[in-house]
Amino acid sequence: MLGWALIFFIVAIIAGIMGFGGIAGAAAGIAQVIFFIFIVLLVISLIANAVRGRGPRV
């Protein structure tokens, strides 16, 4: 998912350089949303892992 955010960010930079303001803004917005979803999922995963813990191995 972080890879998708990076791809949209690169598209936004290229579109901004070429003068396509609308496309650059849309791609930057999509990249930002995907990045924040990634961060939320990372935090949820870390909390779930900490709560679950590791049991003794046999």
Side-chain angles (χ1 to χ4, degrees):
M1 187 174 293
L2 193 55
W4 282 104
L6 184 63
I7 289 170
F8 279 109
F9 179 69
I10 291 170
V11 168
I13 289 175
I14 292 172
I17 289 172
M18 293 183 167
F20 299 112
I23 296 172
I30 292 170
Q32 187 176 13
V33 168
I34 292 174
F35 178 75
F36 284 120
I37 290 172
F38 171 78
I39 294 297
V40 168
L41 291 176
L42 174 69
V43 169
I44 290 171
S45 175
L46 291 174
I47 291 171
N49 193 23
V51 168
R52 184 173 31 147
R54 292 203 177 249
R57 297 193 181 235
V58 178

